[in-house]
Amino acid sequence: MSAPSYHFTPETSEEIYQAFQLAKKEGLTITIRGAGRSYNDASLNGGGIVLDLTAMNQVLEWDPASGLVRCEAGVTLEQLWQKVLPDSWWPPVVSGTMTTTLGGCLGANIHGKNNFRMGTIGEHVTEFTAILPTGAEITCSPKKNGDLFYSIISGLGMLGVITAVTLQMKRIESGLIEVHAWPTRTLEEQLTSLEEGAPDHDYIVGWLDTITIGHGQIHAADYVHDDPDPAKMKVSYQTLPSRLFGVMPKGLLHYFMTPFFNNPGAWLINTGKYVASLRRHTFRQSHAAFHFLLDYIPKWELSYGRNGLIQYQSFLPKDTALRTWTEMLATAKERGLPSYLGVSKRHRPDDFLLSHALDGFSLAMDFKVTDSNRGNLSEMLQEFDQLVLEAGGRFYFAKNSETTAETTSAFLGDEAVEKFKKLKKRTDPNGLLESDLYRRIFG
Ligand SMILES: Cc1cc2nc3c(=O)[nH]c(=O)nc-3n(C[C@H](O)[C@H](O)[C@H](O)COP(=O)(O)OP(=O)(O)OC[C@H]3O[C@@H](n4cnc5c(N)ncnc54)[C@H](O)[C@@H]3O)c2cc1C
């Protein structure tokens, strides 16, 4: 997705304030942007200003004794783990790519493969500072300005600009993680595995073949306690290699994947992956390799071709998930619009205002967009939204790109939407912070 806008890269809080003054004077809106890795229009602002926070990227304080780290908002997860890992710490919650910024991670309130155990990233923030469009600089923690703490985190950059964050890291004893892999034959088996496996593991995630519908594999992973080799804590040990088999630059890999990103090719990949995953086995790998699999293939999204993909992620309560996703997958098959990749996770609810999580599961599906399927796909995803609403489910604003204002009100509830709008009036009385996403989901 793209949208033309004015691009401004502040280096200080003062410059952020100046951007707000300029926007007010010129009658423009501002969208805050981290690394721009959301799958949708969360950090786009057609015709307005994009405030790019990536130049505010200093780790300000690091205390290896307590595991507390204070960073500017443009620090990426990559910078963060590389700073703390040599001292035997790891970020408690990470996304599937390390290229995201802390500001963006808080704006969407990201979850990891351990959401059922560790919650969202916001639950590990002890404090952050933010600049409001009024020019006020505020500090928020669960106890101080609590209402803004629980709404700026998850608030999609619509209430204020997070400038610095203090986070509690997780102590680890080894640079390795132990992964148990086993196949699942049906969606039902996959959801049962996630539910029954979660209490026994630090992380759990499912891969689902959404083409043949139901074949899959579970990866359940645990921190390692018996291999304290300091060499494995080194960044050089963890860093993903830049060449495949030591020869081919990984940056070229997506060109070789493109021919497989069509219905028969995706069937072949999914079937091959399932056959390869039939053997139940256990292996150890680095933290970076386990968490950031997609970073192995830079620009993997280009494999989908010029129109890209839509990632559709829905969150469903335990008792309606199987029925609803079974219906969705059957509909996608019937319409000839299969998802090429399915990823399932186990979740728990949290206290953030625009929360996506609940006591249940999520399924993320990647749909290829083409000139000819665009309308049909959009219609199908809106049908999916209705199924999710009827099943008591929720949506994640960093992913789906079809969710409407009606759907948003229906799943968040009028009370949460009103509360958010009231807070927005307080922090942003002139309505300077807006994004394409905001206009879509709040009307
Ligand atoms: C390959 C891949 C894997 C992913 N895996 C996961 C996953 O496992 N779990 C998960 O939860 N998400 C996942 N995501 C989504 C991603 O983590 C989120 O979209 C995240 O918000 C992106 O961070 P960013 O820095 O790119 O932010 P952007 O996309 O630039 O912005 C995200 C939102 O945060 C706001 N924002 C940005 N900076 C600030 C700031 N300083 N202050 C206030 N608001 C701000 C923006 O306005 C926007 O609304 C994945 C994305 C990709 C591409």
Side-chain angles (χ1 to χ4, degrees), residues 1 38-41 210 261 300-301 304-305 307-313 337-342 363-370 373-382 384-385 396 398-403 440:
M1 275 186 169
S38 296
Y39 278 83
N40 59 9
D41 47 0
T210 39
F261 277 63
W300 56 267
E301 60 277 13
Y304 279 86
N307 292 299
L309 75 149
I310 292 179
Q311 182 166 111
Y312 184 88
Q313 187 174 23
L337 292 170
S339 135
Y340 291 176
L341 175 69
L363 176 63
M365 296 188 274
D366 286 3
F367 293 96
K368 178 173 174 158
V369 183
T370 64
N373 81 2
R374 194 182 287 272
N376 197 1
L377 183 58
S378 170
E379 199 181 277
M380 181 178 82
L381 298 183
Q382 298 205 23
F384 285 4
D385 278 5
Y396 183 27
K399 302 274 176 99
N400 309 8
S401 35
E402 309 293 319
T403 315
R440 173 161 62 82

Side-chain angles (χ1 to χ4, degrees), residues 31-39 42-43 53 73 94-97 99-105 107-112 152 156-158 160-163 294-295 300 345 356 396 398-399 437:
T31 296
I32 312 162
R33 187 172 172 95
R37 297 309 312 272
S38 296
Y39 278 83
S43 56
L53 268 273
V94 295
S95 49
T97 171
T99 55
T100 49
T101 65
L102 289 179
C105 290
N109 200 16
I110 63 158
H111 60 264
I152 290 182
L156 307 162
M158 290 300 109
V161 184
I162 296 166
T163 49
L294 280 169
D295 290 342
W300 56 267
K345 290 182 190 146
H356 54 272
Y396 183 27
K399 302 274 176 99
L437 169 71

